[in-house]
Amino acid sequence: MTIFEFLLALYAIVAGLGVSLLVTSVGQMIEARDRVRFYWVHFCWIALTFVGHVVSWFTIWRFRDHTPWTVLDGLLLLSAPILLYLISHLVVPDLEDDRIHDLRDYYFRHARWTQGLLLGVVVAGALSHIMIENRFDLSGGRGVRASLILILLPGIVSLNPRLHAAQAVLLFLVILVAASYVSQPIG
């Protein structure tokens, strides 16, 4: 087993836990739909988190031929799925009790943390590309990172509902642009 395969396995475990948490929680929200007041911005964040897990996992394939690996390279690479797991935990409520859950209130209670952690994912991804590839480049998918940073910063500072609604729309558009990169063949 190569070092990359080892890191890929660790990455897949953490990312798999995050995706599993999201899917299980969405299933619980569907089951508890009579006790849940849904909020569209909240669901945008669930979708964004899911896409973040999948895209980040596939983007590490670009490092398959990288040598030598350092501990710093590995830590930077593994920070993305760890932060995405934390976001997964924050974007889905615990519905084990029998009370009514307002997902708008839930979203705004955790919005700064989820956006700050996603900003951390973006920065960690950029740093890992810089450290591992030894270059800074804003073309292609890296330009998407710059867009994400610009979109996320206001939401960390402000809890204005209109701002967060606009962010949700912009983030959805970024996902569409990112999907064009994701649709390209891997490797």
Side-chain angles (χ1 to χ4, degrees):
M1 175 180 277
T2 67
I3 293 175
F4 176 76
E5 290 168 337
F6 178 74
L7 289 170
L8 184 64
L10 283 173
Y11 201 106
I13 290 168
V14 178
L17 289 170
V19 169
S20 176
L21 177 62
L22 284 176
V23 172
T24 300
S25 297
V26 168
Q28 289 173 345
M29 284 190 275
I30 293 168
E31 286 177 348
R33 64 190 170 276
D34 297 335
R35 298 183 291 113
V36 176
R37 291 187 193 124
F38 294 102
Y39 181 50
W40 72 273
V41 174
H42 177 258
F43 272 102
C44 287
W45 272 89
I46 291 172
L48 179 68
T49 305
F50 176 78
V51 169
H53 276 293
V54 174
V55 170
S56 71
W57 191 54
F58 278 107
T59 59
I60 68 167
W61 185 253
R62 72 181 310 137
F63 304 130
R64 67 191 175 281
D65 296 324
H66 174 72
T67 55
W69 282 93
T70 66
V71 173
L72 178 60
D73 294 341
L75 287 172
L76 282 171
L77 199 66
L78 293 172
S79 65
I82 291 168
L83 292 172
L84 282 165
Y85 177 85
L86 293 173
I87 294 168
S88 296
H89 184 71
L90 287 176
V91 298
V92 290
D94 182 11
L95 301 174
E96 297 299 320
D97 56 18
D98 288 329
R99 65 185 180 88
I100 302 293
H101 294 271
D102 185 336
L103 295 185
R104 187 178 194 277
D105 291 341
Y106 184 84
Y107 169 80
F108 282 105
R109 185 171 44 243
H110 299 293
R112 286 188 170 130
W113 275 96
T114 55
Q115 294 201 22
L117 289 169
L118 186 58
L119 181 64
V121 171
V122 172
V123 169
L127 286 174
S128 64
H129 281 127
I130 292 168
M131 295 294 295
I132 295 169
E133 293 180 333
N134 292 320
R135 64 187 173 98
F136 181 76
D137 182 8
L138 283 178
S139 65
R142 289 164 224 55
V144 170
R145 281 195 186 109
S147 300
L148 285 171
I149 291 169
L150 293 174
I151 294 168
L152 290 170
L153 285 174
I156 294 169
V157 175
S158 171
L159 292 178
N160 181 310
R162 287 186 178 159
L163 171 74
H164 285 261
Q167 274 185 309
V169 170
L170 289 172
L171 290 169
F172 180 76
L173 293 174
V174 170
I175 287 173
L176 290 177
V177 170
S180 69
Y181 296 112
V182 175
S183 64
Q184 296 174 0
I186 299 170

